[in-house]
Amino acid sequence: MMRWIPFVKKPPLVAVVRLSGAIAAGSRLGSGLNDQAMAPVLDRAFRRGKPDAVALVINSPGGSPSQSSLIAGRIRRLAEEHERPVYAFVEDLAASGGYYIASAADEIWLDDNSIIGSIGVISAGFGFPDFIARYGIERRVHTAGKSKSLLDPFQPEKDEDVARLTQLQEQVHATFIEHVKTRRGAKLDSETELFTGDVWVGSEAVKLGLADGVAHLVPKMKEVFGDKTRFAVHGARRGLIPRLGTRVVADIADEVESRVLWARYGL
């Protein structure tokens, strides 16, 4: 009845968005996160019902730096456009790109066992030059541009390639650090090295200023907005074809890659 009585004030509304999984562009990593998939979800969360706040439930080992930045940037634009506070609630993990997204929130709240941080950049791969030489396989590569075969896994690693990769990683790392400093500001512990790629758990992360406290979504939001606070959960709408399993092989490969990211944190 209240929606037909405009002068009766509705109870506070908190829009809830789950950001779970590894972060990668397009459809890679199956059920993971990317800006294209999250754009309509975040837009609905900030617009529908004119919520008093948006709560992000984050559980991610990280992934693509660009996609992390795109999602975080979208969250900030919508928050400023709609003048809505944003709260992040970390479940198991908000590491690397997961923490990048969490830092887009105005406040970050953890479970006692949540792992957060990993403010760094990693690149991993394999080298096969001895393998192909052992089996008499001839590698044929023709390029226009001396750097087109950078870090070719079938050639011996070159010092100049590693130096170039390190330079690129340092640029991405600097962007990550600047984002965290901008969002967390004076909350960060200036006496501790926070940008080494290390991770922290629960209250230890709070002491360092990487999070604001230990709390769970529903009780915390009711503490802030009152016991009558309502919650509206917004999620991605999956199409029929993916559900029918037409991408089974690709999804298996994506799942393996995703599990590697999670395993780095013992999860």
Side-chain angles (χ1 to χ4, degrees):
M1 288 294 295
M2 284 192 301
R3 61 180 172 180
W4 303 110
I5 308 175
F7 52 82
V8 175
K9 186 176 181 180
K10 294 181 180 180
L13 174 65
V14 174
V16 180
V17 178
R18 174 172 289 277
L19 297 115
S20 182
I23 304 166
S27 60
R28 293 185 60 246
L29 300 187
S31 60
L33 301 173
N34 60 75
D35 183 58
Q36 181 181 11
M38 292 310 304
V41 180
L42 289 167
D43 189 64
R44 287 197 304 271
F46 277 92
R47 294 178 185 276
R48 186 167 295 177
K50 297 183 179 179
D52 295 271
V54 174
L56 310 174
V57 181
I58 298 176
N59 203 9
S60 174
S64 164
S66 295
Q67 292 299 317
S68 303
S69 178
L70 288 168
I71 294 171
R74 185 177 300 279
I75 291 168
R76 289 315 315 157
R77 289 195 302 275
L78 289 168
E80 292 165 10
E81 177 186 345
H82 296 281
E83 298 182 337
R84 299 284 184 263
V86 180
Y87 300 85
F89 292 87
V90 180
E91 294 188 327
D92 299 278
L93 180 66
S96 195
Y99 185 70
Y100 197 113
I101 293 173
S103 297
D106 299 298
E107 295 180 7
I108 301 174
W109 297 88
L110 311 177
D111 179 80
D112 282 314
N113 303 299
S114 299
I115 300 172
I116 69 169
S118 190
I119 303 170
V121 181
I122 185 171
S123 177
F126 298 92
F128 302 97
D130 292 338
F131 176 84
I132 64 174
R134 182 180 300 119
Y135 289 93
I137 301 171
E138 182 182 359
R139 173 75 165 156
R140 296 175 179 176
V141 179
H142 307 280
T143 69
K146 65 179 182 179
S147 296
K148 287 298 292 183
S149 61
L150 182 74
L151 296 171
D152 187 331
F154 295 100
Q155 296 182 8
E157 193 170 63
K158 301 175 184 177
D159 291 341
E160 58 267 31
D161 286 359
V162 175
R164 178 57 177 152
L165 175 62
T166 301
Q167 183 183 43
L168 297 174
Q169 289 178 319
E170 287 174 349
Q171 293 176 33
V172 176
H173 193 199
T175 301
F176 195 168
I177 292 171
E178 181 61 27
H179 169 72
V180 174
K181 286 184 174 180
T182 299
R183 296 300 309 152
R184 300 299 298 171
K187 295 178 180 180
L188 296 173
D189 183 353
S190 60
E191 303 299 320
T192 304
E193 288 288 338
L194 300 175
F195 309 121
T196 63
D198 203 353
V199 295
W200 292 269
V201 177
S203 59
E204 184 182 9
V206 175
K207 292 177 183 177
L208 296 174
L210 293 170
D212 295 280
V214 174
H216 295 169
L217 191 154
V218 172
K220 186 62 187 179
M221 292 295 87
K222 287 189 174 182
E223 176 188 323
V224 174
F225 296 102
D227 290 337
K228 294 184 178 180
T229 298
R230 300 168 296 144
F231 298 90
V233 180
H234 299 270
R237 296 169 179 169
R238 298 182 65 188
L240 178 62
I241 292 178
R243 289 203 303 269
L244 292 177
T246 56
R247 296 187 66 256
V248 172
V249 175
D251 285 347
I252 291 173
D254 288 347
E255 179 63 19
V256 171
E257 188 175 351
S258 177
R259 290 310 307 165
V260 169
L261 288 172
W262 285 100
R264 292 184 58 228
Y265 306 98
L267 298 172

